[in-house]
Amino acid sequence: MHHRKDITFTKPSIYRPGIEEYCDANSAPQNAQLSAITTLTYERCPEWANIISSHLQGNLLTALVRSMRARHCLEVGAFTGHGAVALAAGLEPDGTVTTIDDFSADERAREVFLEAALTSGPGPMITLVEQQALTALREIEMPDGGFDLIFVDADKPNYFAYYETIMERDLLSPHGLLIFDNTLWGGAAAADGASAEPDVGETDEARRWLHEMWTDWADAVRVFNQKVCQDPRTVTTLLPLRDGMTLVQRVRGGV
Ligand SMILES: C[S@@+](CC[C@H](N)C(=O)[O-])C[C@H]1O[C@@H](n2cnc3c(N)ncnc32)[C@H](O)[C@@H]1O
């Protein structure tokens, strides 16, 4: 077929229902260990299970770690271990994943982490630090050369503090990649918060709590996105994958 220069062509937007499922179906299947963690998470922590990272995110984390030949990874927000195992799955045999959680979102996540993530194939590479995340980031011992990949996936109001601590302590290796999850916050980050609120909560009190949490976190994510994107020390790419994933690297040569 020939290209015609007399016809205007605009591609339709990919942001519509069904696209994520299509991507899942046309990607390598979720590895069996990650799939087991996902199933157990929905069984044991049903109310908050959907904060677990997804099939595509797991594939992406594994691919990035593998192609970077990363040696040391750090995760902020372990939950049931899906992200930690996805990171570990891409490591060279002498690699490590340190993951931090205080299990404030759901205490029951700890059991799933210990039972399914630590006992999985790459489990021996993973160390759990049970601590409040900001304290842990301030105290954590840095491996030789720093962390090659840091995946931040915890409470959004602290995202900028996590970012500043990582930068100030120079926790990231010179070629390292820093990834923040949920940086679109259900789309609300891009729409002044009001648009897509979750329509759940069984009582008025629960709905009020959810509304407040949703809007506070949307505001925090929006401020975070703006500040990081304007930081001359780094280059930032916000990807519309799942709930938004922001990739940050130090500028070449460092500032
Ligand atoms: C979205 S989940 C993490 C999901 C996980 N990264 C994955 O890939 O499935 C967020 C986790 O961060 C933890 N968290 C939230 N705020 C925290 C804090 N201030 N300190 C430590 N952990 C925290 C919660 O307990 C929860 O388990």
Side-chain angles (χ1 to χ4, degrees), residues 51-53 75 77 79 83 101-102 104-105 131-133 153 155 162:
I51 65 174
I52 192 171
S53 50
E75 181 185 43
F79 193 45
D101 209 301
D102 61 3
S104 51
Q131 209 173 11
Q132 202 273 333
D153 187 14
D155 48 336
Y162 297 149

Side-chain angles (χ1 to χ4, degrees), residues 83-116:
V85 172
L87 292 167
L91 284 171
E92 303 284 313
D94 60 346
T96 68
V97 175
T98 305
T99 184
I100 302 166
D101 209 301
D102 61 3
F103 296 109
S104 51
D106 192 334
E107 278 285 323
R108 298 166 298 182
R110 180 194 289 105
E111 277 169 38
V112 180
F113 186 94
L114 300 178
E115 205 175 305

Side-chain angles (χ1 to χ4, degrees), residues 156-168:
K156 315 312 156 197
N158 273 320
Y159 263 27
F160 196 67
Y162 297 149
Y163 175 80
E164 280 295 358
T165 308
I166 289 163
M167 295 300 290
E168 274 160 23

